[in-house]
Amino acid sequence: MPRLRALVATAGPKLGAAAAVTALVAGAATAVTTLDTPRAAAAAALCDQYAKATTADGKYRIQNNRWGTAEPQCVEPTATGFRLTRADGAVATDGPPKSYPSIYWGCHYADCTPGFTPVPASGSTFGSVRASVAVTYPAPGSVAGEWDAAYDLWFDPTPRTDGQNTGAEVMVWLGHAGRPQPVGRKVATVALAGATWDVWFGNTGWNVVSYVRTTRTSSLDLPVSTFFDDALARGWVQRSWYLTSVQAGFEPWTGGAGLAVTSFSAGTGAATSPTPTANPTPTASPTPTVTRAKRPTSGRPVCSATPRTDSAWGAGAVQTVTVTNGAQARTGWTTVATLPAGQTVTNLWNGTWTQSGRTLTVENASWNGSLAAGATTTFGYQLAATGSTATPAAVTCS
């Protein structure tokens, strides 16, 4: 969908959203030309870096989307999805994945599926939007690799059909292998769609909300509002925003050949597995598209946050948190703190914030998100307290 995933893997220690980033990949989009396989080669694999094909029923787009590596990768379109037939190379698991081969409904930058119009989350149509995906995992031992299988829901404050979405990316992980973890930190565990999901939250210039199924599944079919409504209750998406894309695919860090999306459908009304048809027919897309780089979060901290109390009285306090960047420049930061019992933030400056129970999540403001190596910035807040006015025991930064 518009953009290239916002996930991240973490090395070794770290459970809870990717603690920090050792190498923040630039958020600026890089212009590339979409390459479509010639119409005559309808059954051929898509091996060019950004090669795409339209499914035979004309509803969806399949993309190779090899944006994070120069090693060969090939996607073989099928009647109802695609198969990853070649996935050479490997990238460090403390950074972004090497690609996101996927199938989508909606807009990937300016490349939209036929007749698609962004769907307002405030309208009645949104409640009827369903997504269905089925995937195949190679048998244990038959393929080496570290990857996740996920579908993405993208939201923008405007009915955007090109460029980078700035609202939120809601990711739904059906399964994963190895060390990959989502952007940000694990903040909750919820029961949705008949299963248990770990909820992760981070920000890479837009909110990244990830739902990681605690037990792997090979299929999912449900209204997209299921996960949107949970994210809405947490303050991470807005009802006034628009759904701009639904994607399903894989993010490999190492290996990945043999993974497959065996069926996919998305749109208004009940989603059902597509009826097998002829091989997808590639179509020409002369309009350039743009892809963005991921911003990785690794298991090694790259920023820290230190709280202090500036003043306190019986029923409240004013506190300041200093955010210190690590050894590499970054754009955007997020802090998460568990406030002492009885504390409620009433006002906060130099950041945007949400409080859920005792969890206070603060993201950078528009003017203090870009930090050079070793640079610092601060935000402050006033709180009301029915108990202790102490600072949080710890504030994490990513």
Side-chain angles (χ1 to χ4, degrees):
M1 99 151 271
R3 298 81 20 225
L4 289 182
R5 331 294 305 108
L7 288 252
V8 169
T10 77
K14 186 183 93 233
L15 218 229
V21 184
T22 63
L24 257 180
V25 179
T30 301
V32 298
T33 300
T34 299
L35 300 175
D36 278 76
T37 304
R39 186 174 297 276
L46 307 176
C47 296
D48 288 322
Q49 186 173 13
Y50 299 108
K52 293 186 179 182
T54 298
T55 55
D57 59 11
K59 294 181 179 179
Y60 312 113
R61 292 282 274 166
I62 298 167
Q63 57 181 350
N64 194 32
N65 209 6
R66 175 178 57 82
W67 60 272
T69 179
E71 297 296 325
Q73 174 177 290
C74 293
V75 166
E76 180 183 277
T78 64
T80 55
F82 68 87
R83 180 167 47 254
L84 186 57
T85 57
R86 183 172 183 179
D88 293 2
V91 295
T93 56
D94 61 355
K98 57 184 178 175
S99 63
Y100 183 55
S102 50
I103 182 171
Y104 69 89
W105 172 72
C107 297
H108 185 280
Y109 284 91
D111 189 358
C112 301
T113 53
F116 177 81
T117 300
V119 182
S122 60
S124 58
T125 300
F126 180 71
S128 69
V129 177
R130 296 184 66 92
S132 173
V133 62
V135 299
T136 295
Y137 306 115
S142 64
V143 62
E146 295 179 285
W147 42 263
D148 67 68
Y151 80 72
D152 262 14
L153 312 173
W154 282 91
F155 295 90
D156 193 84
T158 67
R160 183 185 298 275
T161 58
D162 62 352
Q164 173 62 54
N165 281 191
T166 59
E169 175 186 12
V170 177
M171 304 183 62
V172 182
W173 286 33
L174 283 71
H176 59 97
R179 292 164 288 179
Q181 292 180 335
V183 165
R185 287 182 170 75
K186 178 183 171 182
V187 297
T189 299
V190 298
L192 293 171
T196 302
W197 309 78
D198 290 333
V199 185
W200 295 62
F201 176 78
N203 182 277
T204 59
W206 55 89
N207 288 344
V208 182
V209 188
S210 303
Y211 294 86
V212 182
R213 204 174 193 274
T214 55
T215 57
R216 180 188 293 185
T217 185
S218 60
S219 64
L220 196 63
D221 179 357
L222 76 174
V224 300
S225 60
T226 301
F227 294 97
F228 177 88
D229 288 349
D230 184 81
L232 179 67
R234 300 174 190 277
W236 299 330
V237 297
Q238 300 296 322
R239 182 64 73 182
S240 60
W241 290 356
Y242 293 78
L243 173 69
T244 64
S245 180
V246 178
Q247 301 181 343
F250 306 96
E251 292 187 311
W253 277 258
T254 65
L259 294 166
V261 171
T262 54
S263 69
F264 171 81
S265 66
T268 57
T272 57
S273 299
T275 301
T277 57
N279 285 317
T281 302
T283 59
S285 293
T287 304
T289 188
V290 177
T291 56
R292 68 157 171 85
K294 283 177 173 281
R295 301 173 184 212
T297 302
S298 76
R300 297 184 293 276
V302 297
C303 64
S304 60
T306 305
R308 71 169 186 266
T309 298
D310 298 319
S311 61
W313 54 96
V318 173
Q319 298 179 349
T320 296
V321 176
T322 299
V323 175
T324 303
N325 192 27
Q328 189 156 355
R330 64 189 291 135
T331 302
W333 48 262
T334 301
T335 66
V336 179
T338 300
L339 302 178
Q343 291 188 2
T344 302
V345 173
T346 59
N347 186 32
L348 187 145
W349 49 95
N350 290 345
T352 60
W353 61 286
T354 60
Q355 181 175 349
S356 177
R358 293 172 55 190
T359 301
L360 175 65
T361 302
V362 181
E363 300 169 15
N364 58 277
S366 60
W367 59 85
N368 64 355
S370 297
L371 297 177
T376 63
T377 189
T378 63
F379 65 86
Y381 55 89
Q382 180 174 336
L383 58 83
T386 58
S388 171
T389 57
T391 59
V395 182
T396 57
C397 179
S398 63

